[in-house]
Structures are given as C-alpha cells and as structure tokens.
Amino acid sequence: MFLAVAVALFISCGQQEQKSEMDTFISDLMPQMTIQEKIGQLNLVTPGGGILTGSVVSTDVEDKIKTGRVGGIFGIYGPGNLRQAQQMAVDESRLGIPMIFGADVIHGYKTTFPIPLGISASWDLELIEKTARIAAQEATADGIFWNFSPMVDIARDPRWGRVAEGAGEDPFLGSRVSEAMVRGYQQDDLARENTMMATVKHMALYGASEAGRDYNTVDMSRNRMFNDYLSPYKAAVDAGVGCVMTSFNDVDGIPASGNRWLLTELLREQWGFDGFVVSDYTSVNEMIDHGMGDLKAVSALALKAGLDMDMVGEGFLTTLEKSLEEGKVTEADIDLACRRVLEAKYKLGLFDDPYRYFDASRPEKDILTTENRQAAREVAARTFVLLKNDNQILPLEKSGTVALVGPLADSQNNMLGTWAPTGEHHLAVKVIDGFKNVGGDEVEILYAKGANIVDDPDYAAKINVFGPKVDIDERSPEAMIDEALAVSARADVIVAVVGEASEMSGESGNRTNLDVHEEQKKLIRALAETGKPLVLVLMAGRPLTIEEEVELADAILLTWHPGVEAGNAIADALFGDYNPSGKLTMTFPRNVGQIPLYYAHRNTGRPQAGDEFEKFKTNYLDSPNSPLFPFGYGLSCTTFEYSDVSLSTAAISTDETLEAKVTVTNTGDYDGEEVVQLYIRDVITSITRPVKELKGFQKVFLKAGESKEVSFTLSEEDLKFYNYDLNFVAEPGEFIVFIGTSSDEVKEARFFLE
Ligand code: BGC
C-alpha cells in the first residue's frame, strides 16, 4: 500500500511539474503575442482536402499562416505536405508558433473499419479500442495528430443519417465506447509520435434533432439530458479527452456554440474539462440564422460562452478585435481561449519539435499493413448481426452453387461507409471477391446484379455527391430481375446483397422512409418466390424497416457498411469461418411511425403488456408497440441457454456490493461468442425512470456444449441517476436485475438497496 501511495504521489507530482512547466512556457510566450496573433491561434482552416460540409471554404491560407492568423488546419494529409505547411508557420510567421493538424478519422484512417454504429454492435470494448489505436497509428504516420472523433451522440431516431457515426441509443454502452475510443487514440501520452488528440463530439444532444432532420432544433428536459444524453460526453472528459467539438443544434434555447451554461458551467466547472473547445464547421456563423445576431455578435457570444477555436467560419478572425474595442469581449477572454489552444500544442509536444509527426518513412511502415487489414477483417466479422437464421441455413457449405445477386454484391464504392474521407474505395474487397477468396474452389458463384440500389436518377444524384455510389443500369428493372432469376434457377442457395448505398446515411443523409428501396424489394420478392433458400446480406448505416424482408428471407445477416475488408469478412461469417456475435445497439422499428422507439423507455401510467391491443392503453391502432428487433438482439449459428439469475445477497447497504450470476451454456453445434447483458430497474423512484437500463455486459466465448458462469458486481454507484434537482443519487428500495441475451429476453431477480 505504501508503495502504491508513493507511486501515485510520484505520478501526480510529475504531472504537477509538467503542468507548471507548461504554464511557465505559455506565460512567457503570450506577452510576446499581439492581439491579432492571439486571435489567429483561434482560427481553424481547411484548404479543401476534407469534406466540405458548410457554405464557407478557407481562402488565402498561405498568407494567413505566414501572418500568424492560423492556429490549425484540417483536411491536408501526408508528412511531406504537412511539414511544408508547418514550416510556413514555424519559419515564416513572426513567433513561429506551430500549427495543429486535424482530420475526421472516424472509423479508421486508410485501413477503414466498419461504420461506428457497426463497431458498437461488437460490444467488444477491447476490439473497439484497438480500432482507434490502429487509426491513430496510421493517421499519425501520415502527419495527422488531432482527430475529430469519437462521435458519441446518443441517437434514438433512425431517420437521422448520422446514427451511422455513433454507438447507438444507450448511454451506458455509449459511455463505455466513448472511453475506449479516447484511450485508443490518446493512450496516456499525447506527445508520443503515434498518439493523437481525440475530440469528443458533438456537444451536445445533436442526436435528438427533431424529426431526424440534420441540424434541426433540439429541445429536451434537463432530466432527460442528464440521464440519457450527456454521459458519453462526460465519459470522454473523464477519460482525459483533449478537445470537445460543439454541435449545430440548440441546447435549451441557445445554440451549443454560444451556450455558456453548456461550455463553461457544465463542461468545465462541473465536469472539470481542461482541454479546448472547437466549433463545428461554421457553427459559430450559423448562429446568425439561429437568430442570435450578426457575425460580430455571434462570435463574441461564442467566445464568451467558452468556445476556443472557430472552425472555418472566421468569425473570430474577422470580428473579435472590433468586439474588444467595443468592450463586448475582454482581452482576458481572448487570452483564455488562446492559452487553451497553446496548451494543446504543448501537450502534443509541438513546442519541443513541431515536426515530430512528419517522418516520411512512416506511411510505408505503418499504413495498411497486413496486420491492420487482418484486424479490419476480424473486427468487421464481429460487428455483423444475425437477424434471422431459420433451419440453420447458415453457415453455408463450402460447396455447391451460390447465386450471388443484388446491387451491393459487386459494388466497391459502398463498402467503406459514410465519413471515410481518408479511406480508398479501390482497396475495398467486394462481396463477390470475398466469396471467391473464402468459398474456395468447390463453390460455384453465379452473379447477377438484379436491381439498382435506386432507380430514380435524381435520388441517385444526391447520394453520389462524393463520387459514384449508385450506378443505374441501362437495362430495365424487369430484365435485371429476369437475369437474377435465371442464375438463381441454377443455384442451391441465393445470397442477395441489398440495402443502402453508403451515402444514404451519414451527415445530411436523413430519410423519412426506412424501407429497402422498392426496386430492391421487387427483386427480393421474386427471389423468395423461387422457393430456394434465400439469405439476405443487408448493408445499412442505420436501422431499416424490414418487416417484409424478415418474412421473405430464410436468413438475414446485417453487415452495416463493413469497411475495407468487407467482402472477406462477410464471406467469413456466411461460410462459418466466424460465427456471428454482434448485437444491435439501436432498436429496429417495424415502421417509421413508431419512431422514436428505444428499449429504455418510461412505463407511462397506462402501459400495455404485450402487443394485444387494449383500448385506453399506450398503443397504436395500426401497429404493435414492440419493435421488429429490440436493442441487444442478435443471433448466433449456435444457441445459448441461460440459467436463472442468482444473487449473492437479497439486500445491500450503500457500501456493499452484490454479485449477480448466471450460467450460460452453448447448446448448439458450433463454438460461438455471446454478449451477456445485465439491466436493472429501479422499482420505486422520486422521478419516473426507464423500465430497464443497461448496467453491464460481457462477451464470452463458449465452445459447443460448454457452460460458463458469468458474474457481474453491482454497487450503489450502478444504481445512481440524476434526480429532480439533478443530483446524482441512488434511492434506497427495491431493484430488479435482469440478465439475458437481449433487452427483451432476460431472466430476473430482485434485491434491495438499504
Ligand atoms: C461535421 C463534423 C466534422 C466537421 C469537420 C462537420 O460538418 O459535423 O462532425 O468533424 O464537419 O469535417
């Protein structure tokens, strides 16, 4: 114990010392800076190599760098380019302050992993951390050391395209993923050549945009904010995240980028965040359209609120001096923001060596290595969710004839998924090639496209903004279906690869209709009519409404957009080289009218038990309440059986813990992994609480026939929530603990907190 205390003291003394060295360094530097140079540090530009998501594009970048008017750049890549840009700042600007270089490395750098919603469906935190680690290794090799990730916005509305970028609907799971990503990117030392500063985004509540429309208004109670939406951002802060990005939406009536309560009182004073805050792309300027004043007014508002760096909009650069003269902001406000940006640069080691990330020999060694691609393949297979598998049609045998059909079976441009600006489509493995690689010589593959992703050229044009994702065939829809039927007639099994093009989700990829497109539905209906075994491989960036497809197909494997190793990973999962183990992290509704639909809902005063319609209960005339697939759902090619839940004690006091145990048995024919999930319900509470809340999960591997005891420890801490006064408390009384294979297939036991 003495040793532990001594080590802890030593570490904290070391950190103190570093902090005071940093403070001294910056305190020496800042008095040398003019006010323009200080404001220059708050300016983030992009010369256009990234994805332009706003209406402003940076201009005269070189001149601005040389005159000390740029703090950082995003959207340029490669040690050579970045070294050259850095040299401009270091050698040609008056004080030689280095710049930070950022990028959106959302799910891998060049080795593209599945979209984040898919990654979360692995429920494997070590694996998730590893994806971030590999991304950081590759990005830093290419000169990028500041990442606009993780995106941790809780999302309960699948119409919103950006659900693809986050970890789904649940704050507990979302928080664990958030921490894992921050650890993966930053490790414990930002100055290391292969770590990068993470940015948690988008603070806050961006996922609750009304009607699932991007950038739309958000309005929610503090109770809901604190209990359901804020914890993943806080988890990143607790994990030491270096940067926070604001969101486009309002938070309680004030846009996030100008919201002092959010950026200063909550983030810094309550949560203790000590990094810097960057706006989203022109989100400061956008406060003009929110009705908060002209550019000068909104820029002053943002600075006063606690926003430190202005992304692309240059409201800070062009108006803060004037606001200073007019007394709308103080020099201390500017100093504070400038200091925070300089601190980030210090922590990244840039004042020691501004070129530390620009080793020209690294890209070749570190990027797209065989190991990284292998990791991408393994990760992808672990994110797939088996939604249906009647008559054990999966795994497929590595013999016989497969009709491989569908618009995504031979597509390369849709494999990486949304927000993969650094990925390279031409490296992605198509499904048809994965089938050849994994199926081996004994499998004959017959291919037909069968349908377009969409037939409508206007719709296709919106999806093709970042390059061709949808190509519309010259043949008629009927001719394409006929061809698919002809190859199917010669096959033992049909595998149809259908779903969304990658840009049908992601930023500005919102939909009011979540069906598989009608042209693909026609193909699926025709294939089902053949009576041959039909497997659907469903690619999507979000939950889709697939009630009809679930009826028609014998098996459905949901693969999201799987990344650079797409085809290999899909073939691994279909041919039994990997037994699917993913579980949904977002509820699949039956229809759009049920949205928002999520498992952790409140009970209401008139709950309806089950789907049988009862007049004057919480329900619909034209749809059951239940989802098509609940949160936590996902099958395996094997089967798992759960024992009853046993608790180590029937009551705990506030300083005690309780063990909740089940025995899980693999009762099927294949080895496999199962995500064992623990939920609780607080039975009597001072404010209404969810019917179930995830509080733990473990992914366990079981050989066929094997049993394992899985044990969770619960303490008062796990039972806490934000009460009416927003105090984080546990209330004594009865609790139900549920353990099971999904949020709605569980066994339960009860205990008391005394
Ligand atoms: C997105 C951010 C992204 C930024 C920079 C914005 O449009 O909302 O998530 O980090 O662009 O590319």
Side-chain angles (χ1 to χ4, degrees):
M1 188 148 119
F2 173 75
L3 193 69
V5 172
V7 169
L9 270 176
F10 179 75
I11 291 174
S12 100
C13 290
Q15 280 166 351
Q16 284 298 335
E17 210 170 287
Q18 256 174 2
K19 175 145 176 39
S20 78
E21 277 171 20
M22 173 171 83
D23 288 347
T24 314
F25 178 86
I26 293 173
S27 298
D28 287 346
L29 174 61
M30 282 186 52
Q32 303 170 48
M33 297 172 79
T34 63
I35 199 77
Q36 292 87 347
E37 283 165 337
K38 288 176 187 169
I39 294 170
Q41 287 301 309
L42 317 184
N43 191 30
L44 176 63
V45 303
T46 182
I51 292 181
L52 302 180
T53 54
S55 51
V56 181
V57 181
S58 311
T59 51
D60 300 328
V61 173
E62 283 195 30
D63 181 54
K64 282 178 187 151
I65 295 173
K66 292 176 188 165
T67 48
R69 289 181 292 155
V70 176
I73 301 191
F74 71 103
I76 53 173
Y77 310 97
N81 292 337
L82 291 167
R83 177 180 287 273
Q84 217 183 342
Q86 190 72 301
Q87 256 161 0
M88 241 178 254
V90 171
D91 297 343
E92 299 188 52
S93 76
R94 196 178 68 90
L95 291 170
I97 298 174
M99 298 185 292
I100 44 175
F101 294 107
D104 289 278
V105 185
I106 308 297
H107 46 114
Y109 186 67
K110 293 268 179 222
T111 302
T112 311
F113 294 102
I115 56 166
L117 185 61
I119 294 184
S120 72
S122 73
W123 295 62
D124 185 333
L125 297 173
E126 250 174 65
L127 199 74
I128 293 171
E129 181 171 337
K130 185 173 167 186
T131 66
R133 187 82 286 285
I134 291 175
Q137 183 78 27
E138 292 197 356
T140 54
D142 222 17
I144 307 291
F145 47 87
W146 174 30
N147 194 4
F148 304 152
S149 167
M151 186 282 212
V152 305
D153 303 318
I154 294 296
R156 296 175 169 184
D157 189 333
R159 290 173 297 181
W160 190 48
R162 298 195 84 168
V163 303
E165 282 179 67
E169 73 184 43
D170 185 68
F172 179 84
L173 179 67
S175 299
R176 303 294 79 76
V177 173
S178 172
E179 297 156 356
M181 301 281 286
V182 172
R183 274 198 307 270
Y185 293 135
Q186 298 194 161
Q187 303 280 278
D188 51 6
D189 180 7
L190 281 178
R192 244 167 55 194
E193 279 81 356
N194 66 355
T195 58
M196 68 197 311
M197 181 175 277
T199 303
V200 67
K201 71 188 191 187
H202 308 80
M203 178 103 177
L205 323 178
Y206 184 28
S209 310
E210 282 178 3
R213 212 163 65 213
D214 222 345
Y215 322 118
N216 205 6
T217 305
V218 171
D219 194 1
M220 74 168 70
S221 68
R222 296 274 161 127
N223 169 353
R224 172 156 285 191
M225 265 186 220
F226 277 84
N227 283 307
D228 299 349
Y229 279 80
L230 290 176
S231 61
Y233 311 106
K234 180 167 187 299
V237 170
D238 292 343
V241 75
C243 182
V244 168
M245 187 187 292
T246 60
S247 57
F248 291 113
N249 53 279
D250 3 318
V251 173
D252 213 353
I254 302 178
S257 299
N259 193 315
R260 187 172 166 83
W261 172 76
L262 185 72
L263 302 183
T264 297
E265 286 174 36
L266 181 69
L267 180 63
R268 294 193 184 275
E269 291 165 10
Q270 290 183 38
W271 293 356
F273 175 64
D274 69 353
F276 76 104
V277 175
V278 65
S279 77
D280 202 345
Y281 201 111
T282 60
S283 68
V284 173
N285 313 48
E286 290 170 27
M287 288 197 285
I288 302 170
D289 281 323
H290 279 277
M292 311 300 290
D294 62 10
L295 187 61
K296 180 154 62 80
V298 296
S299 302
L301 182 71
L303 184 77
K304 281 276 183 198
L307 192 137
D308 305 308
M309 195 176 231
D310 180 8
M311 189 191 290
V312 185
E314 302 204 338
F316 278 11
L317 192 74
T318 56
T319 69
L320 282 186
E321 247 186 291
K322 187 95 178 99
S323 291
L324 179 64
E325 278 163 34
E326 291 172 1
K328 303 268 167 46
V329 303
T330 63
E331 185 156 0
D333 296 329
I334 295 169
D335 281 357
L336 187 58
C338 176
R339 176 174 283 274
R340 289 174 183 149
V341 172
L342 294 175
E343 282 178 358
K345 294 181 175 183
Y346 188 96
K347 290 177 196 160
L348 286 160
L350 296 174
F351 290 112
D352 283 340
D353 176 7
Y355 305 107
R356 63 193 312 132
Y357 300 94
F358 312 139
D359 173 350
S361 72
R362 272 192 67 196
E364 165 114 29
K365 277 189 302 205
D366 284 350
I367 297 178
L368 280 166
T369 60
T370 316
E371 299 82 64
N372 291 1
R373 285 200 73 138
Q374 181 58 27
R377 180 168 177 169
E378 285 169 15
V379 169
R382 280 155 183 77
T383 68
F384 300 159
V385 184
L386 186 59
L387 297 176
K388 180 176 182 184
N389 191 23
D390 274 6
N391 308 319
Q392 294 221 309
I393 182 173
L394 295 179
L396 299 175
E397 288 182 15
K398 288 186 180 173
S399 63
T401 305
V402 179
L404 185 61
V405 300
L408 290 158
D410 189 28
S411 165
Q412 196 169 34
N413 288 350
N414 288 294
M415 298 302 103
L416 302 187
T418 186
W419 266 119
T422 51
E424 291 183 25
H425 296 292
H426 70 97
L427 298 174
V429 181
K430 298 190 284 187
V431 178
I432 191 166
D433 294 332
F435 264 59
K436 289 177 192 154
N437 297 340
V438 176
D441 296 341
E442 304 292 296
V443 181
E444 188 191 5
I445 300 161
L446 307 173
Y447 166 76
K449 185 173 173 187
N452 295 312
I453 297 176
V454 294
D455 284 342
D456 174 1
D458 293 338
Y459 198 130
K462 295 181 212 165
I463 299 165
N464 289 343
V465 277
F466 301 133
K469 302 288 157 69
V470 174
D471 66 300
I472 299 177
D473 211 276
E474 281 169 4
R475 291 170 296 171
S476 71
E478 294 72 30
M480 290 166 77
I481 290 183
D482 285 347
E483 187 195 24
L485 290 176
V487 300
S488 298
R490 291 163 49 207
D492 303 311
V493 57
I494 307 168
V495 176
V497 191
V498 295
E500 291 191 304
S502 58
E503 292 313 320
M504 284 168 74
S505 61
E507 188 166 352
S508 197
N510 316 308
R511 298 178 62 190
T512 61
N513 177 336
L514 299 180
D515 289 348
V516 172
H517 267 259
E518 188 56 28
E519 31 285 65
Q520 299 187 56
K521 273 179 171 292
K522 284 187 186 141
L523 169 68
I524 295 165
R525 287 180 200 127
L527 296 172
E529 261 178 35
T530 64
K532 297 250 165 125
L534 174 61
V535 177
L536 296 188
V537 172
L538 181 66
M539 290 195 185
R542 55 150 64 81
L544 295 177
T545 46
I546 50 166
E547 219 168 7
E548 185 184 0
E549 289 71 21
V550 172
E551 283 293 311
L552 294 176
D554 298 288
I556 302 183
L557 185 71
L558 169 67
T559 64
W560 317 104
H561 292 114
V564 70
E565 285 288 330
N568 287 334
I570 289 173
D572 287 341
L574 291 180
F575 285 111
D577 290 358
Y578 180 75
N579 181 358
S581 64
K583 302 270 190 177
L584 298 178
T585 58
M586 255 190 109
T587 303
F588 266 50
R590 295 173 188 275
N591 52 65
V592 169
Q594 290 181 308
I595 296 170
L597 186 66
Y598 49 94
Y599 84 94
H601 61 86
R602 270 82 164 160
N603 206 29
T604 84
R606 294 188 177 195
Q608 175 182 275
D611 277 340
E612 189 68 35
F613 177 83
E614 289 177 67
K615 191 73 183 163
F616 304 123
K617 295 281 170 119
T618 300
N619 55 26
Y620 300 102
L621 288 170
D622 57 358
S623 167
N625 287 347
S626 66
L628 184 58
F629 296 114
F631 176 85
Y633 174 86
L635 302 174
S636 165
C637 291
T638 192
T639 45
F640 297 104
E641 237 173 65
Y642 281 68
S643 71
D644 286 336
V645 177
S646 80
L647 300 183
S648 58
T649 170
I652 53 169
S653 61
T654 54
D655 54 357
E656 290 172 341
T657 59
L658 164 149
E659 303 291 318
K661 286 182 189 158
V662 286
T663 301
V664 184
T665 306
N666 181 341
T667 50
D669 300 332
Y670 302 97
D671 301 348
E673 286 169 289
E674 165 72 338
V675 180
V676 183
Q677 302 159 42
L678 179 143
Y679 300 84
I680 61 154
R681 175 167 181 177
D682 196 341
V683 179
I684 296 178
T685 42
S686 60
I687 60 169
T688 56
R689 299 289 302 133
V691 294
K692 256 176 217 157
E693 284 179 281
L694 184 72
K695 289 292 172 183
F697 57 88
Q698 285 177 42
K699 196 160 186 175
V700 291
F701 173 79
L702 293 167
K703 287 192 155 313
E706 193 187 358
S707 293
K708 260 186 199 162
E709 188 181 76
V710 179
S711 163
F712 296 89
T713 305
L714 288 173
S715 72
E716 187 199 8
E717 210 46 38
D718 302 299
L719 310 177
K720 287 185 173 171
F721 61 94
Y722 290 90
N723 68 9
Y724 193 77
D725 299 318
L726 302 180
N727 293 318
F728 194 52
V729 296
E731 294 180 351
E734 193 180 13
F735 289 82
I736 310 175
V737 43
F738 309 89
I739 302 183
T741 185
S742 82
S743 63
D744 87 342
E745 211 184 317
V746 287
K747 303 221 168 156
E748 62 179 77
R750 288 169 183 253
F751 70 94
F752 283 86
L753 174 71
E754 283 170 343

